Amino acid sequence: MDNPAAGKTSGALPFSPYEFMIAGRFVGATRKDGGVALIAIISFIGVALAVAALITVMSVMNGFRTQLYEQLLGAQPHVYVDARVMTPDDVSELVVELEAMPGVESADPVVQGQVMAVSDRYETVIQVLAVEPSDLAQMELVTQGETAGSLTGIIAGSLGRFGSGRYGGNGIVLGRGVARQLGVSIDDRVTFITTAMRNTPAGSIPTQKAYYVDAIISTGVSTIDDALAFMPLEQGNLFFQKNGVVDLIQIRLDDPMLSASFVAPIQERAGVNSSVFDFTGQNPAFFDALQMERSMMRLLLSVVIGITAMNIIGGLVMLVKVKSGDIAILRTVGATRASIMRIFLLVGATIGMLGTLCGIILGVVLVLNIGPIQDVLNALTGGPVFDPSVYYLYRIPAELDVGEIFFVSIFGLIMSLAVTVIPAWLASRLDPVEALRYE
């Protein structure tokens, strides 16, 4: 009489229907195999929670990164051109040429300098950027104003008077931190003192002039708010004695993330005597640290997924022990060692795949409902778990990344298969005679 199992395995392709059927029965819980089922459930839950944690944490980090970039790039340009070696006519021609480039939003000449800012009570050293009033008014940080979830933009005063008057007038815009350090508000007087000397009948003295606060601006980035002020370009050229020469051409792009690809074509237009660099070149250590933190967090949470997937090994080893008689019977009716190994690979892959899928669903649900979850935590703790006065954000930012979800899916499945190999191999090496001796 022909053997049904032998007929199914003879010449069968890998992962045949009967292998799926047997793997499904092994995965299912029974009263006799309750301990094995419990370990399988624990493994499933562990993988699901680890995957959900990875998606949630990486989405929150992506949200923070996006918010930080938006705030940072709302206050500073995306590409810089050193224009100190250029004549005013060269700068004007280059600005027109750059603004005609596809992908370039604006190109603005800037004079910069460091000054001692002195109020009636305090003093501090700050960086001053002299810009065209129209360029400041069109800055993304200013045009967006105060938006939901952030504390950025013009927070006091306005730009209505900025740039009006002789040589650009005497109005200035201070960063939020600078205004706090000086203890000043709108229309208060602030004296700028620079090391550039000017000749007077009494001899050479440092250049100084009194200005009045037209507006106070907040970028949401403390390192900028605490050390930055704006003045009109014409006034800055006069105060810093530049004689019409500008220090930089600041370029804003439609997509700041493409800034690195614009460096070479802009350098070609600016000439070899001018250096060109993007915003990451202003503080490379900071942006490298952001990328390193993101990579290390992904690595650490991937290790967590790997550790939870290791639980599958324990469940499969116990399953092999419990099902040793069934394995022996399968071998005696014609199942090959490879077929037995594939069956247990399917068992481990099923647990890992289902755990990964449920983890992805849970992670996406958590990310999409991060606001209500924050409200619940605030109610439970009796206070804000995410203080806007510290982070300049009312809500925990979270941004789903399809690429991140794809990575988690593939990684979870690979780890589930990898940890299944050893128990599956042990099952395939089981001697049916020894297994049936005491049955």
Side-chain angles (χ1 to χ4, degrees):
M1 182 176 176
D2 292 336
N3 193 321
K8 290 180 181 178
T9 57
S10 177
L13 293 175
F15 301 111
S16 60
Y18 102 94
E19 292 172 353
F20 279 99
M21 179 190 67
I22 295 175
R25 291 185 177 183
F26 282 178
V27 171
T30 64
R31 180 172 301 184
K32 178 182 176 182
D33 307 325
V36 177
L38 177 61
I39 294 178
I41 292 172
I42 292 174
S43 302
F44 164 80
I45 294 175
V47 172
L49 292 179
V51 168
L54 177 56
I55 291 176
T56 304
V57 171
M58 294 307 300
S59 296
V60 170
M61 291 191 69
N62 287 337
F64 267 112
R65 184 170 177 265
T66 299
Q67 288 284 347
L68 178 60
Y69 272 34
E70 287 179 355
Q71 292 177 348
L72 197 61
L73 298 180
Q76 69 178 47
H78 312 145
V79 181
Y80 300 81
V81 177
D82 188 345
R84 290 174 295 181
V85 297
M86 298 181 182
T87 65
D89 291 339
D90 291 338
V91 170
S92 299
E93 293 177 4
L94 182 58
V95 166
V96 173
E97 188 175 354
L98 291 175
E99 289 185 334
M101 288 180 62
V104 174
E105 181 181 309
S106 65
D108 309 323
V110 171
V111 169
Q112 64 179 1
Q114 196 173 56
V115 304
M116 171 73 78
V118 181
S119 67
D120 292 339
R121 294 178 293 171
Y122 306 106
E123 65 278 335
T124 186
V125 177
I126 61 173
Q127 184 79 9
V128 176
L129 294 182
V131 300
E132 289 286 1
S134 58
D135 295 338
L136 181 60
Q138 294 173 3
M139 189 180 296
E140 182 180 357
L141 177 71
V142 175
T143 56
Q144 288 183 348
E146 185 172 341
T147 58
S150 65
L151 294 172
T152 59
I154 300 294
I155 61 173
S158 71
L159 298 180
R161 297 178 301 177
F162 184 74
S164 62
R166 187 181 182 188
Y167 300 117
N170 299 324
I172 56 174
V173 176
L174 298 182
R176 179 179 187 171
V178 175
R180 183 177 62 251
Q181 293 173 39
L182 294 175
V184 296
S185 186
I186 303 303
D187 293 331
D188 285 349
R189 173 175 168 170
V190 177
T191 301
F192 285 174
I193 304 173
T194 180
T195 55
M197 307 300 287
R198 63 185 181 91
N199 296 320
T200 68
S204 297
I205 60 173
T207 302
Q208 60 178 329
K209 185 176 180 180
Y211 295 94
Y212 296 88
V213 181
D214 282 345
I216 297 174
I217 194 168
S218 173
T219 67
V221 182
S222 60
T223 54
I224 296 178
D225 289 342
D226 292 347
L228 188 63
F230 294 93
M231 66 166 46
L233 179 60
E234 189 177 6
Q235 181 63 215
N237 202 291
L238 179 67
F239 180 76
F240 291 109
Q241 303 176 29
K242 294 294 184 177
N243 298 319
V245 176
V246 299
D247 295 310
L248 297 170
I249 299 177
Q250 296 186 344
I251 302 165
R252 295 182 181 275
L253 307 174
D254 295 331
D255 186 354
M257 296 300 104
L258 298 178
S259 61
S261 64
F262 278 82
V263 172
I266 292 175
Q267 181 72 71
E268 184 178 350
R269 289 168 170 79
V272 295
N273 295 326
S274 298
S275 61
V276 179
F277 52 95
D278 67 345
F279 67 92
T280 60
Q282 284 286 82
N283 194 348
F286 173 74
F287 291 101
D288 288 346
L290 279 181
Q291 184 59 40
M292 178 64 71
E293 181 182 23
R294 189 166 180 261
S295 300
M296 290 303 298
M297 186 60 70
R298 182 189 290 114
L299 176 61
L300 291 175
L301 290 174
S302 298
V303 171
V304 172
I305 293 179
I307 293 173
T308 55
M310 295 292 286
N311 291 328
I312 298 175
I313 293 180
L316 289 183
V317 169
M318 290 188 63
L319 183 63
V320 171
K321 294 294 184 182
V322 171
K323 297 293 186 180
S324 59
D326 296 339
I327 296 170
I329 293 172
L330 288 172
R331 288 295 312 280
T332 57
V333 297
T336 63
R337 287 181 175 179
S339 181
I340 297 298
M341 187 169 183
R342 288 194 294 268
I343 289 172
F344 281 89
L345 283 174
L346 284 172
V347 172
T350 300
I351 296 173
M353 185 171 60
L354 291 177
T356 301
L357 179 61
C358 290
I360 290 173
I361 295 173
L362 177 60
V364 171
V365 170
L366 289 174
V367 171
L368 294 180
N369 294 277
I370 197 72
I373 292 173
Q374 181 182 347
D375 293 336
V376 171
L377 293 176
N378 289 341
L380 292 176
T381 59
V385 295
F386 191 76
D387 192 350
S389 65
V390 176
Y391 299 100
Y392 292 97
L393 297 169
Y394 290 112
R395 290 289 187 185
I396 299 175
E399 181 179 321
L400 279 174
D401 186 346
V402 176
E404 203 75 54
I405 295 176
F406 179 76
F407 164 78
V408 172
S409 304
I410 298 301
F411 183 77
L413 183 58
I414 290 175
M415 285 303 302
S416 300
L417 288 173
V419 300
T420 307
V421 170
I422 294 178
W425 181 80
L426 292 175
S428 69
R429 306 302 296 179
L430 189 67
D431 186 352
V433 176
E434 289 296 326
L436 291 174
R437 175 171 295 178
Y438 301 104
E439 289 291 330

